[in-house]
Amino acid sequence: MSRNYADIAIAANRVTKSYRLYARNSDRIRETFHPFRKIYHRPFTALNDVSFSIRKGESVGIIGKNGSGKSTLLQILCGVLQPTSGHVQATGRISALLELGAGFNPEFTGRENVYLSATIMGLPKEYVDRNIEKIFAFADIGEYVDQPVKLYSSGMYVRLAFATAISVEPEILIVDEALAVGDIFFQQKCVAHMKEMQKKATIVFVTHDMHSVTNLCQRVILLDSGRIVFDGEPLDGVSQYTKLVHNEWQQENKATDEGGSCVADPAAPQLTVADHVDGWIAVSKEDRGGALEIKILKVRITDADNMIKDTVIKGDEVVVQLIVEASRQVDNLIVGYTVKDRIGNAIFGENTCSSLPDDFSVAGGTALISYRFVWPEVYPDTYTMTLGIGEGNDPFVHKIHCWAHNIVSIAALVPDKGVHGIFNNPITSCEVHSLHPR
Amino acid sequence: MIGGGVVRLAKDLIQYNEMLRALARREVASMYVGSFLGFFWTFIQPAVMILVFWFVFSVGFKAKPMNDVPFVVWLTAAMAPWFVFSAIVTSATTVILQYAHLIKKTVFPSQILVVVKILSNLVGHGAFVVLLIVLIFCNGMPFSVYYLQSLYYLFCLLVLASGIGWLISSVNVYARDVSQLVPVIVQVGFWATPIFWDLSIMPESIRFWLKLNPFCYIVQGYRDSFIYFVPFWQHGLETLYFWTVAFLFLLTGGWVFAKLKPQFADVL
């Protein structure tokens, strides 16, 4: 840890939060006042020995799967919850956006609610007097400011709540997934505001949106089951996170495969323990389509150094590896891929027949096929890849032997710029001609 | 230390006084928001109640004046403190649950909530006392500076109510039975306190036991201030007893609240 404590905005030292699960609510009282401190609870650890320190002005994203302890950590950082052991030290005025509009009463007008929320956040009335027009302007709810909040659309409600919450000029801002409110324009305004705040304040925020993590944070803390498993560069953190999610998803799939009572597919590839470690994904019968004279057994996506790839940025080399089983010798082999977005639109794809002049062939039996492509600049999102193998020498007319549908997911990140559609199309030139000179 | 809870609470009240007033204003406003008569309801409710008393007891039952005081005046003088006390205690029971969203989601000093309930209920009490004075005037009874002594008894009431409020509001978070129990106790308390009846009609032997009820002191005090004009220092022993009980409640309430508060966000 840094020796210079003046730099530190938040220091968490061995923070542990265990919840006490009681059989009955009244056991809690019994335990609190028990003369001999009899224990009535079963402990559940939500945070386990978490330590970190955040420097002033740093923006830190906290990511992790559901139930990994992110929100508990935020609540402890801002003092809503008390840690069971360890302590948190925060230097500076904290503003927490844990829930938008927590202090709003639907019967009162927007104006009245803004005043009360601000008071609860500890702002003096004069401060609100000076800033209320700014708040309304940011929320952009027009003449509704003097209408009861119950008449607001849900979008207006959260906009006003958000505008109120950020009107505090905190030294430390703690945000829990609050950015995902309103329409696209409001979201852009929020992100712009956050970037503005970053110049002055320390920001800690929890999100599931990997894009905003890489865009807004200088550092990522990844929690898993209440422990810090990663603390460092955002891109690395996101990649670790996708691995975590991916592993869990695979284990679940495996568990259902084993637990299911369906008839065993004799051709189903057996994954060994080593396969799991190496990132191989078994292709089940349901995921396959086509003539199936060649079957895709397992797939994996790696980078050029043979490391498993879960996240990509523009320009990354993506290596697709297939283990296939051919029932006969096949010449004129074609392999390809399609990348689809989360609602199933095919975004891009290609096959070897139309991109490469070479001919490929495979003998009967199993084979390892690998091919590579470079990730283009596409909208940051989680994509799935469909991988295929076929036979023929015409780009349009060929026999498809096997598709492995939506078999791998991969998170695309665009760390330093915006993508304005599915992909960016660069502007090639620009000129300015003065028409009516003054 | 047991007294620490109360000292800290007192400090918080000063620190958060702006929030306290804003919340109390909101409490009062939320009672009348959306109604046409608004603030007038503060007067209408006790006025109708007094009117009913007057009609039932003075017109209907022809109740005899109590010690030469019209029954309705005599009754209203005792109803006024009881009314606000029971309102504070019942609303304080559930106040932590009522503000659960703030306690869970914001950094919020939940210890001030009982005081918020006290402040907001004082408005209705003010209306009650104004009506009492109007009633006294209508009955041609004398005014006196002793009226101001009711403020002392009001202070007694508030200290007692804060202690009880902190105690029951925090325990109710864990055992919701409290919110069922409190109205029952308030009901019993109403009849166990000399509001509808006078201590003098009770036999000497049980009068002592009835005076153990700390609220007896307050009810008697209101009558002393508005009707009999007796200064409180004439009840030396009762005063000493009341303050002992009130401080016991305050210390216990403050201690229990401080002890349970850290877990509020976990339970709510």
Side-chain angles (χ1 to χ4, degrees):
Chain A
M1 264 191 220
S2 165
R3 274 172 297 135
N4 189 356
Y5 284 102
D7 283 355
I8 302 296
I10 301 175
N13 188 12
R14 313 205 59 179
V15 170
T16 295
K17 174 75 184 175
S18 45
Y19 281 97
R20 299 171 163 193
L21 302 180
Y22 292 87
R24 276 174 301 278
N25 227 354
S26 57
D27 280 355
R28 202 182 277 272
I29 299 197
R30 236 170 266 157
E31 186 175 286
T32 310
F33 294 104
H34 198 280
F36 307 110
R37 310 235 167 263
K38 186 173 179 242
I39 302 297
Y40 284 89
H41 66 265
R42 227 156 20 87
F44 164 77
T45 309
L47 282 179
N48 199 341
D49 203 11
V50 168
S51 302
F52 57 85
S53 56
I54 295 173
R55 276 180 288 112
K56 281 191 179 142
E58 222 177 355
S59 298
V60 178
I62 297 178
I63 57 178
K65 291 183 295 196
N66 287 331
S68 57
K70 303 179 298 274
S71 296
T72 310
L73 180 59
L74 283 200
Q75 282 175 300
I76 289 176
L77 290 186
C78 62
V80 174
L81 290 180
Q82 304 294 318
T84 314
S85 67
H87 58 89
V88 167
Q89 198 173 0
T91 325
R93 198 172 55 250
I94 297 187
S95 168
L97 273 68
L98 296 185
E99 192 177 89
L100 287 173
F104 279 20
N105 181 328
E107 297 289 342
F108 288 89
T109 67
R111 193 182 294 276
E112 289 165 333
N113 274 308
V114 169
Y115 271 98
L116 189 74
S117 304
T119 314
I120 290 169
M121 290 189 286
L123 294 176
K125 187 173 174 298
E126 303 78 56
Y127 181 88
V128 189
D129 287 338
R130 267 183 283 123
N131 287 282
I132 192 136
E133 289 312 320
K134 250 196 277 175
I135 295 175
F136 289 148
F138 193 92
D140 193 19
I141 51 174
E143 67 218 43
Y144 276 87
V145 293
D146 288 313
Q147 293 291 323
V149 164
K150 65 179 174 185
L151 299 181
Y152 286 24
S153 73
S154 51
M156 286 157 65
Y157 185 93
V158 287
R159 282 197 326 253
L160 184 63
F162 189 87
T164 313
I166 58 169
S167 69
V168 201
E169 281 172 5
E171 283 150 324
I172 302 173
L173 179 68
I174 293 181
V175 188
D176 192 357
E177 303 221 42
L179 279 179
V181 301
D183 56 20
I184 179 83
F185 300 108
F186 190 71
Q187 281 186 27
Q188 283 169 346
K189 210 151 72 168
C190 294
V191 171
H193 187 88
M194 290 282 278
K195 291 215 161 168
E196 192 58 37
M197 297 253 272
Q198 277 184 318
K199 293 177 192 155
K200 298 174 278 189
T202 310
I203 299 182
V204 181
F205 76 106
V206 157
T207 182
H208 283 290
D209 179 2
M210 294 304 133
H211 180 49
S212 55
V213 167
T214 47
N215 255 304
L216 289 169
C217 299
Q218 291 132 24
R219 177 176 155 197
V220 153
I221 291 176
L222 172 60
L223 287 179
D224 188 39
S225 315
R227 288 175 187 276
I228 295 186
V229 292
F230 177 88
D231 183 348
E233 284 296 309
L235 277 179
D236 297 341
V238 170
S239 146
Q240 290 275 332
Y241 168 75
T242 15
K243 276 204 183 81
L244 268 179
V245 176
H246 210 102
N247 283 348
E248 183 180 71
W249 174 76
Q250 250 178 37
Q251 273 158 19
E252 266 171 24
N253 267 16
K254 198 174 162 237
T256 47
D257 280 356
E258 284 164 0
S261 62
C262 58
V263 185
D265 178 2
Q270 296 299 305
L271 278 190
T272 63
V273 176
D275 276 348
H276 273 298
V277 178
D278 293 341
W280 285 103
I281 299 164
V283 182
S284 71
K285 203 173 164 183
E286 295 77 39
D287 293 331
R288 281 196 207 116
L292 298 180
E293 282 172 60
I294 310 174
K295 281 181 197 158
I296 301 176
L297 303 185
K298 304 180 208 176
V299 303
R300 71 170 180 177
I301 305 294
T302 66
D303 61 12
D305 302 323
N306 229 13
M307 299 297 287
I308 296 304
K309 204 153 184 57
D310 299 294
T311 52
V312 278
I313 56 178
K314 173 197 174 189
D316 277 2
E317 187 154 64
V318 178
V319 181
V320 179
Q321 299 186 343
L322 309 177
I323 290 184
V324 300
E325 185 183 50
S327 56
R328 60 175 169 85
Q329 157 102 20
V330 175
D331 298 316
N332 304 325
L333 188 73
I334 305 174
V335 286
Y337 70 94
T338 308
V339 170
K340 295 181 182 170
D341 68 9
R342 63 176 87 210
I343 53 171
N345 293 320
I347 304 300
F348 60 90
E350 183 53 298
N351 61 39
T352 47
C353 179
S354 45
S355 19
L356 299 171
D358 320 64
D359 281 332
F360 303 96
S361 65
V362 65
T366 54
L368 170 68
I369 301 172
S370 60
Y371 51 104
R372 15 184 107 193
F373 64 92
V374 174
W375 191 264
E377 184 180 79
V378 288
Y379 190 79
D381 196 354
T382 301
Y383 293 93
T384 59
M385 287 172 67
T386 294
L387 306 170
I389 190 161
E391 184 180 9
N393 46 24
D394 187 304
F396 298 106
V397 188
H398 53 252
K399 183 172 186 181
I400 292 161
H401 280 301
C402 186
W403 279 117
H405 290 291
N406 302 330
I407 195 71
V408 202
S409 76
I410 194 159
L413 302 171
V414 184
D416 45 8
K417 62 191 285 192
V419 177
H420 305 277
I422 292 172
F423 61 93
N424 274 348
N425 189 22
I427 294 166
T428 50
S429 77
C430 173
E431 290 159 27
V432 179
H433 298 286
S434 199
L435 295 178
H436 295 286
R438 279 196 188 167
Chain B
M1 198 193 116
I2 287 190
V6 178
V7 174
R8 226 173 307 122
L9 287 168
K11 278 189 191 151
D12 291 341
L13 295 185
I14 299 164
Q15 189 192 336
Y16 295 112
N17 80 87
E18 195 170 342
M19 190 193 298
L20 193 62
R21 278 181 288 140
L23 286 171
R25 262 200 304 275
R26 166 63 65 95
E27 280 279 333
V28 176
S30 64
M31 283 185 235
Y32 307 116
V33 70
S35 67
F36 290 110
L37 293 180
F39 191 66
F40 279 103
W41 284 110
T42 317
F43 286 90
I44 294 171
Q45 212 187 344
V48 170
M49 206 163 108
I50 292 169
L51 210 67
V52 170
F53 286 154
W54 171 76
F55 188 78
V56 172
F57 292 101
S58 301
V59 181
F61 290 161
K62 307 257 185 283
K64 284 191 206 75
M66 288 299 232
N67 317 321
D68 295 330
V69 182
F71 186 80
V72 63
V73 176
W74 182 84
L75 178 62
T76 309
M79 281 301 283
W82 179 262
F83 204 64
V84 64
F85 180 76
S86 64
I88 291 172
V89 169
T90 9
S91 60
T93 317
T94 51
V95 72
I96 304 289
L97 304 182
Q98 187 192 336
Y99 283 87
H101 54 287
L102 287 181
I103 293 167
K104 278 168 75 174
K105 296 294 179 183
T106 59
V107 183
F108 187 78
S110 52
Q111 60 273 26
I112 69 167
L113 286 176
V114 169
V115 185
V116 168
K117 285 295 180 190
I118 288 178
L119 290 185
S120 60
N121 279 304
L122 279 183
V123 177
H125 184 62
F128 217 123
V129 170
V130 168
L131 287 171
L132 173 65
I133 293 173
V134 170
L135 206 60
I136 289 172
F137 177 74
C138 293
N139 281 282
M141 291 163 61
F143 282 95
S144 160
V145 283
Y146 274 104
Y147 284 8
L148 293 178
Q149 186 182 247
S150 67
L151 292 178
Y152 159 76
Y153 284 106
L154 178 61
F155 178 67
C156 294
L157 185 156
L158 297 186
V159 172
L160 185 67
S162 321
I164 295 176
W166 275 316
L167 181 69
I168 58 180
S169 64
S170 55
V171 175
N172 186 50
V173 174
Y174 302 92
R176 307 279 160 97
D177 313 65
V178 174
S179 60
Q180 302 293 328
L181 189 65
V182 165
V184 176
I185 294 178
V186 167
Q187 196 80 42
V188 174
F190 178 77
W191 295 103
T193 310
I195 297 168
F196 251 96
W197 46 274
D198 196 72
L199 264 185
S200 57
I201 63 167
M202 291 295 166
E204 193 73 49
S205 56
I206 66 162
R207 232 181 269 177
F208 169 77
W209 298 106
L210 290 167
K211 280 188 175 177
L212 288 183
N213 169 5
F215 210 78
C216 185
Y217 177 73
I218 294 170
V219 166
Q220 298 286 62
Y222 264 72
R223 283 187 178 138
D224 283 349
S225 307
F226 286 106
I227 299 168
Y228 304 125
F229 309 140
V230 180
F232 69 88
W233 52 84
Q234 285 193 9
H235 307 293
L237 208 59
E238 284 94 336
T239 304
L240 190 67
Y241 170 75
F242 173 84
W243 282 108
T244 312
V245 173
F247 270 113
L248 273 180
F249 267 114
L250 199 61
L251 291 178
T252 325
W255 178 66
V256 169
F257 195 98
K259 193 112 168 118
L260 293 177
K261 188 191 166 216
Q263 287 193 61
F264 281 170
D266 295 349
V267 190
L268 287 170

